[in-house]
Amino acid sequence: MSYFKGNREYFPGIGRIAYEGPGSDNPLAFKFYDENKMVGDKTMKEHLRFAVAYWHSFCADGSDPFGSGPRTMDWNEKSGMDGAKEKLDAAFEFFTKIGAPHYCFHDRDIAPEGSTVGESEKNLQTITNLAKERQDATGVKLLWGTANVFSHPRYMNGASTNPDYNVVANAAAQVKAALEATVKLGGENYVFWGGREGYMSLWNTEMGRELDHMARFLTMARDYGRKIGFKGPFLIEPKPMEPSKHQYDFDSSTVVGFLRKYELDRDFKLNIEANHATLAQHSFAHELEIARAEGMFGSVDANRGDPQNGWDTDQFPFDVYDTTEAMVSILKSGGFSTGGLNFDAKIRRNSTDREDLFLAHIGGMDAFALGLEKAWTLLNDSELPGLVKERYASFDKGQGQDFENGKMTLDQLAAEADYGKVKPISGKQEKIENIINRILFTK
Ligand code: XLS
Ligand code: NI
Ligand code: NI
């Protein structure tokens, strides 16, 4: 199997990662992710639509607020555009060796900021022209593009919600260029994650005015995207906090309310990140289920947090209960259309071997492949759907159905009240949990 070769090989000694099955003890092989295996009417590759995140995998060196990065990355030795080109080659070598069909990037991950707005745009155009060549040569596709309007100090008070109009204009220049790059590369979605769109203190903040500004900005971005031929969904990625004390895109429910208020709900959907869900005191599946209930499920940033500290630790997915529950929701949403599973995840600061990036992605892909198979079995070959259907059976006929369909008034409904008719009906939670374990741990 072939992979992308630039001027230099950045991951020597590692070839195309193959599926070897659960019996294999080769750490550099898939045990569960067999891209061609059919699950229902689609292959695993088609179901899961994996993407690699440029920022964590090729930009981050393991630095944290307490110390500089211990990881050396050969593609990060040169600065400026020379470094960006080497990083691009390393990225495509990795995408093709791991067998990920997609990738995602921020403008500043892929091309450095210049000394003027014009120079920054030119840098992005140059690198994305090279990315297009590599996409065409390898078949790797762009799942989504986005603009980093949170790292540079000019965005310390926010981007579209900044109290200074001059900063808002700079954010517009970046989003405009990132939209153009996404369209050029055939990106299937465009993401907005509002890292600093929020506040640190309410004493100096006009929240209503900032929310209006954010909606104004997103409307302009939507209109520009459509004008230049972007057909896919715009995605909002909810997160409650970090780096802001409070982020306006707090969670899925908050974002849905915002989108409906400003009439953006036809063009925007949600990009659900597992660790952002837990940071908001929800489960990953809860956020997916809200998106499904609202008809706004778009895509997933696959990762996990640490149950002991709750931070956005962006660890690779590992917990198969979690991936199974997530895949149940995703399958019930009808699966991915333009979205996919983007590994917005980083190897640990002390994971310093070159192979660690492969091991992390192999683990994440295997965890979701298992989750997909188990979810498929739960939905199509277990008692689970029947048990849930049975819980709501009183609404499937007669007056329950009339109530559900809006054919009753409150006084008609109240007239049905009868203490004698209410019997305890078990939720069967433990029965369901036992079914899940039976399916998870048998073949
Ligand atoms: C940060 C976010 C970010 C977005 C893209 O917490 O997850 O990485 O996915 O801007
Ligand atoms: Ni993310
Ligand atoms: Ni995140």
Side-chain angles (χ1 to χ4, degrees):
M1 282 180 279
S2 68
Y3 50 83
F4 177 81
K5 291 190 187 72
N7 292 330
R8 176 173 168 191
E9 193 169 11
Y10 293 96
F11 301 96
I14 301 177
R16 174 73 160 82
I17 303 298
Y19 169 73
E20 292 185 6
S24 167
D25 59 4
N26 174 5
L28 288 167
F30 294 115
K31 316 300 178 302
F32 304 104
Y33 179 60
D34 176 2
E35 62 177 23
N36 297 316
K37 183 172 181 184
M38 296 298 289
V39 178
D41 57 357
K42 286 198 277 186
T43 63
M44 281 194 166
K45 186 177 175 184
E46 290 163 340
H47 271 289
L48 298 167
R49 294 172 55 85
F50 288 125
V52 175
Y54 215 91
W55 52 105
H56 286 310
S57 292
F58 309 105
C59 306
D61 59 5
S63 57
D64 71 10
F66 301 92
S68 57
R71 199 151 51 236
T72 50
M73 297 181 291
D74 302 336
W75 58 87
N76 262 355
E77 279 162 2
K78 293 182 188 157
S79 60
M81 288 294 280
D82 290 339
K85 287 175 190 163
E86 297 204 340
K87 187 159 61 171
L88 186 71
D89 281 348
F92 273 82
E93 183 188 325
F94 182 77
F95 303 155
T96 50
K97 282 184 168 177
I98 197 74
H102 294 95
Y103 71 111
C104 300
F105 66 79
H106 300 82
D107 53 353
R108 297 299 187 251
D109 306 334
I110 196 164
E113 178 154 318
S115 50
T116 61
V117 171
E119 195 187 318
S120 299
E121 287 176 0
K122 199 164 153 288
N123 287 350
L124 184 63
Q125 280 157 10
T126 304
I127 293 291
T128 48
N129 285 341
L130 294 174
K132 174 120 184 42
E133 284 175 16
R134 282 154 187 65
Q135 283 185 210
D136 292 344
T138 61
V140 173
K141 293 186 181 132
L142 181 64
L143 188 70
W144 49 260
T146 189
N148 179 335
V149 286
F150 45 87
S151 291
H152 194 281
R154 80 170 65 90
Y155 297 115
M156 67 181 183
N157 291 308
S160 71
T161 62
N162 199 293
D164 178 2
Y165 164 78
N166 294 301
V167 179
V168 181
N170 274 278
Q174 270 190 251
V175 169
K176 176 175 174 286
L179 274 165
E180 288 163 0
T182 302
V183 170
K184 177 171 73 184
L185 296 175
E188 294 180 61
N189 312 268
Y190 184 87
V191 164
F192 290 92
W193 169 64
R196 295 187 202 273
E197 310 290 33
Y199 60 81
M200 302 306 284
S201 167
L202 277 178
W203 289 107
N204 64 6
T205 302
E206 286 211 54
M207 185 155 42
R209 201 168 177 186
E210 291 197 3
L211 285 165
D212 288 348
H213 290 180
M214 187 160 84
R216 175 73 57 220
F217 188 96
L218 292 175
T219 305
M220 292 161 84
R222 188 265 323 263
D223 292 346
Y224 186 74
R226 295 297 181 230
K227 191 173 94 179
I228 63 169
F230 178 67
K231 304 242 172 352
F234 298 87
L235 302 177
I236 303 258
E237 184 179 319
K239 186 177 183 182
M241 64 196 78
E242 199 205 272
S244 307
K245 165 193 148 60
H246 177 99
Q247 194 181 306
Y248 293 139
D249 299 328
F250 196 91
D251 60 3
S252 295
S253 296
T254 310
V255 172
V256 169
F258 169 89
L259 292 173
R260 293 210 204 283
K261 174 180 176 190
Y262 293 101
E263 296 179 357
L264 290 165
D265 49 305
R266 281 182 306 284
D267 297 282
F268 282 74
K269 289 182 176 170
L270 296 166
N271 183 37
I272 306 295
E273 180 162 323
N275 204 165
H276 296 181
T278 50
L279 200 57
Q281 310 263 307
H282 300 308
S283 66
F284 180 23
H286 168 96
E287 289 291 82
L288 291 166
E289 284 290 280
I290 293 284
R292 183 165 80 86
E294 299 286 354
M296 285 198 197
F297 171 65
S299 197
V300 166
D301 271 8
N303 59 16
R304 77 179 201 273
D306 181 306
Q308 271 72 51
N309 63 24
W311 302 339
D312 193 17
T313 56
D314 288 340
Q315 286 161 253
F316 275 81
F318 167 74
D319 183 326
V320 179
Y321 287 102
D322 244 21
T323 59
T324 301
E325 200 179 5
M327 288 312 302
V328 165
S329 178
I330 293 167
L331 290 173
K332 283 181 173 175
S333 278
F336 289 113
S337 54
T338 64
L341 287 163
N342 170 46
F343 289 111
D344 193 352
K346 57 179 180 238
I347 50 177
R348 299 301 84 193
R349 175 175 160 78
N350 51 4
S351 298
T352 47
D353 289 344
R354 192 54 49 86
E355 68 165 12
D356 292 341
L357 191 61
F358 282 87
L359 299 174
H361 283 84
I362 289 169
M365 291 159 89
D366 272 344
F368 267 99
L370 262 174
L372 167 65
E373 288 203 293
K374 300 301 178 184
W376 187 270
T377 305
L378 279 166
L379 291 176
N380 296 287
D381 191 14
S382 88
E383 311 89 302
L384 179 66
L387 284 168
V388 177
K389 190 166 172 31
E390 184 56 30
R391 278 195 92 199
Y392 296 89
S394 63
F395 294 101
D396 290 337
K397 55 181 186 314
Q399 281 161 327
Q401 196 172 40
D402 288 347
F403 161 82
E404 193 168 278
N405 294 335
K407 291 187 182 148
M408 278 180 116
T409 60
L410 185 69
D411 50 342
Q412 285 171 335
L413 182 59
E416 296 299 318
D418 178 349
Y419 296 149
K421 279 194 191 167
V422 179
K423 305 268 182 319
I425 301 177
S426 170
K428 306 311 289 180
Q429 181 174 331
E430 297 81 3
K431 180 174 185 176
I432 289 172
E433 287 170 353
N434 296 350
I435 291 167
I436 289 166
N437 266 354
R438 189 191 84 223
I439 287 179
L440 246 55
F441 297 102
T442 53
K443 286 196 180 163

